[in-house]
Amino acid sequence: MPRLPSLSARGAAWSPIRRLAVVAVLLAVAVLVALLTRSDSGRHTPEPAVPAQADSPSSTTSVPKPSSGTGTLPAPPQISDPVPYARAAAQMLWSYDTRTTSRDQQLAAMRAWMTKESRYQDWPSVAGQVPDPVLWSRMADQDQHASASAPEGHYPGAFKRALAEDPSAITEAYIYAVTVNGEQRIAWKGGGGAEDRAVTLAVQCRPSHDCTLAAIAPTVTQ
């Protein structure tokens, strides 16, 4: 039997309102304007210099293993570096198990990863990855579940260039753009397979605080 749509394929077609919501979140930091290639601009008051980790173009170091969370998803890890956190978040977004987790549990576990700063949070971009109740039920009928690996993450070139031009811009919201590449392994009754995945995330990492997820960008930027 052909498999049903996976969670990571959800949200591919975004409504104009949702796209504008994501843009509004990412525009909180001027450097993300370049990432999304928008013509809009934002003005920010310069503050102290950007943390040193933002200068690092990539990271393939191991991601700390999160503790057990709601349903089958892990709780958010205590990580203060944007790239490892984004890799852990992508792995979370690409994982689910309809055999043991309800749709509400899936959403609750995902929400725990979000920033609590409503000004910078775009929950619809994340919640939109989860199928509607009817489709989730159909997936559960087929015992569909997925695991994932996210071995590579990096700051997109547009983000690094914009940050180099104005290092202080990020210090208002401390939101970093991180692109993660990995693999999702999907299984269901009588079948299974693996697919390459990529996502660009907006991750908030304020100094002396653990990182949180702010939004999923509508397009992947390498």
Side-chain angles (χ1 to χ4, degrees):
M1 170 179 284
R3 69 175 178 84
L4 296 171
S6 66
L7 268 67
S8 59
R10 301 287 298 178
W14 285 41
S15 69
I17 293 178
R18 181 170 294 174
R19 185 176 293 275
L20 287 174
V22 174
V23 172
V25 171
L26 300 186
L27 285 180
V29 182
V31 292
L32 295 185
V33 179
L35 167 66
L36 296 181
T37 62
R38 294 282 181 172
S39 60
D40 303 319
S41 62
R43 295 183 181 180
H44 304 282
T45 302
E47 293 182 27
V50 67
Q53 71 244 26
D55 296 327
S56 175
S58 64
S59 174
T60 56
T61 58
S62 61
V63 176
K65 189 172 234 177
S67 59
S68 178
T70 304
T72 57
L73 290 184
Q78 296 180 330
I79 301 176
S80 58
D81 188 329
V83 174
Y85 184 87
R87 290 174 51 221
Q91 190 170 329
M92 176 273 297
L93 291 169
W94 297 331
S95 302
Y96 61 91
D97 193 337
T98 63
R99 301 169 301 178
T100 59
T101 306
S102 69
R103 182 176 181 273
D104 287 344
Q105 285 180 315
Q106 184 78 13
L107 288 168
M110 292 166 68
R111 183 132 207 173
W113 289 65
M114 301 294 294
T115 176
K116 301 303 187 291
E117 297 182 40
S118 59
R119 179 182 177 187
Y120 304 120
Q121 180 193 105
D122 183 41
W123 170 239
S125 71
V126 177
Q129 304 299 303
V130 179
D132 61 55
V134 174
L135 183 52
W136 184 274
S137 177
R138 289 178 58 200
M139 292 165 63
D141 290 342
Q142 294 301 317
D143 291 342
Q144 187 166 319
H145 54 285
S147 60
S149 59
E152 193 277 334
H154 63 275
Y155 299 111
F159 177 86
K160 291 189 290 181
R161 288 192 298 272
L163 186 59
E165 292 173 2
D166 187 4
S168 66
I170 202 168
T171 59
E172 179 171 324
Y174 285 98
I175 293 180
Y176 300 80
V178 182
T179 295
V180 179
N181 295 286
E183 182 183 71
Q184 183 186 47
R185 298 171 292 277
I186 307 169
W188 60 94
K189 288 181 180 178
E195 298 177 349
D196 291 334
R197 295 295 183 197
V199 65
T200 298
L201 303 176
V203 175
Q204 185 177 52
C205 300
R206 290 195 179 278
S208 303
H209 288 78
D210 294 331
C211 294
T212 55
L213 180 62
I216 300 176
T219 58
V220 177
T221 303
Q222 296 292 346

